[in-house]
């Protein structure tokens, strides 16, 4: 995460690692909060290694997800993160990911999250729904709750909540 003093354009990160890695960025939902003013609330992640613009005084956040499996050796895995910003020289950051010699069991209880369908129009649809649910499965979530009041966009008959 970084907070900038001047606007930045076309911010991109590239991760070099022996581990499997996916880069995401955080989508912020701007809200007006009583007594606090306008806030950018982290809302969800989506796969993207680039941010079009980060305004002065705002935050730009990338999230890296590293995957391991049974064949991954425990210990430190070294790599780098390259940060590119339009009109500026690249910055290279050292990366060390420590893989622990444990395997977490799959949850055997209901473990889930609230999945709000209140997403920007360009991040809705079958492709994105599949990505969201596949990510939930990959993180051991076994249930998902969608608020009944928000089912309207998934149903043709909002009176009877069917569809």
């Amino acid at each position: 995460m970084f907070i900038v003093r001047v606007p930045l354009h076309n911010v991109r990160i590239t991760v070099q690692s022996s581990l499997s890695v996916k880069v995401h960025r955080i989508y912020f939902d701007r809200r007006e909060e009583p007594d606090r003013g306008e806030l950018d609330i982290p809302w969800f992640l989506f796969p993207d290694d680039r941010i079009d613009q980060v305004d002065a005084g705002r935050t730009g956040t990338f999230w890296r997800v590293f995957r391991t499996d049974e064949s991954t050796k425990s210990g430190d895995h070294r790599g780098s993160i390259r940060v590119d910003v339009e009109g500026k020289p690249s910055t290279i950051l050292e990366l060390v990911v420590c893989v622990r010699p444990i395997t977490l069991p799959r949850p055997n209880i209901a473990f889930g999250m609230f999945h709000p369908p209140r997403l920007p129009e360009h991040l809705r649809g079958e492709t994105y729904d599949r990505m969201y649910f596949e990510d939930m499965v990959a993180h051991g979530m076994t249930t998902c709750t969608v608020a009944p009041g928000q089912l309207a966009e998934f149903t043709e008959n909002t009176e009877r909540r069917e569809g």
Side-chain angles (χ1 to χ4, degrees):
M1 176 169 55
F2 54 91
I3 298 176
V4 300
R5 295 191 175 133
V6 297
L8 299 178
H9 303 280
N10 197 20
V11 179
R12 181 182 303 272
I13 69 166
T14 307
V15 179
Q16 296 294 324
S17 175
S18 61
L19 300 174
S20 172
V21 60
K22 286 187 180 179
V23 177
H24 296 72
R25 69 182 174 103
I26 293 181
Y27 175 82
F28 290 92
D29 187 33
R30 187 164 287 176
R31 297 183 188 171
E32 185 71 31
E33 293 291 326
D35 301 324
R36 297 183 68 196
E38 191 174 83
L39 298 175
D40 287 332
I41 307 295
W43 192 242
F44 62 91
L45 300 172
F46 61 94
D48 197 356
D49 63 356
R50 188 174 148 281
I51 299 174
D52 294 333
Q53 179 172 320
V54 181
D55 293 327
R58 297 289 182 186
T59 302
T61 305
F62 290 103
W63 188 279
R64 285 106 27 229
V65 178
F66 294 90
R67 302 263 189 230
T68 62
D69 60 28
E70 300 79 31
S71 68
T72 307
K73 292 186 180 186
S74 62
D76 289 345
H77 292 258
R78 298 188 177 279
S80 64
I81 299 173
R82 177 181 167 156
V83 182
D84 292 300
V85 177
E86 187 176 293
K88 307 225 179 267
S90 297
T91 300
I92 307 289
L93 305 169
E94 181 182 352
L95 171 70
V96 179
V97 177
C98 181
V99 175
R100 303 286 181 202
I102 61 171
T103 301
L104 297 175
R106 300 290 295 174
N108 61 1
I109 59 170
F111 173 72
M113 64 174 281
F114 172 71
H115 181 66
R118 193 188 98 195
L119 302 172
E121 188 67 38
H122 70 284
L123 298 174
R124 293 186 210 172
E126 192 173 322
T127 300
Y128 284 99
D129 284 344
R130 178 170 291 282
M131 285 191 306
Y132 301 139
F133 292 125
E134 285 175 351
D135 188 67
M136 290 166 69
V137 168
H139 287 88
M141 293 180 187
T142 60
T143 60
C144 177
T145 302
V146 178
Q150 295 183 352
L151 286 175
E153 72 182 78
F154 295 110
T155 181
E156 292 178 15
N157 185 340
T158 58
E159 254 332 285
R160 296 190 338 205
R161 301 285 187 226
E162 292 177 356

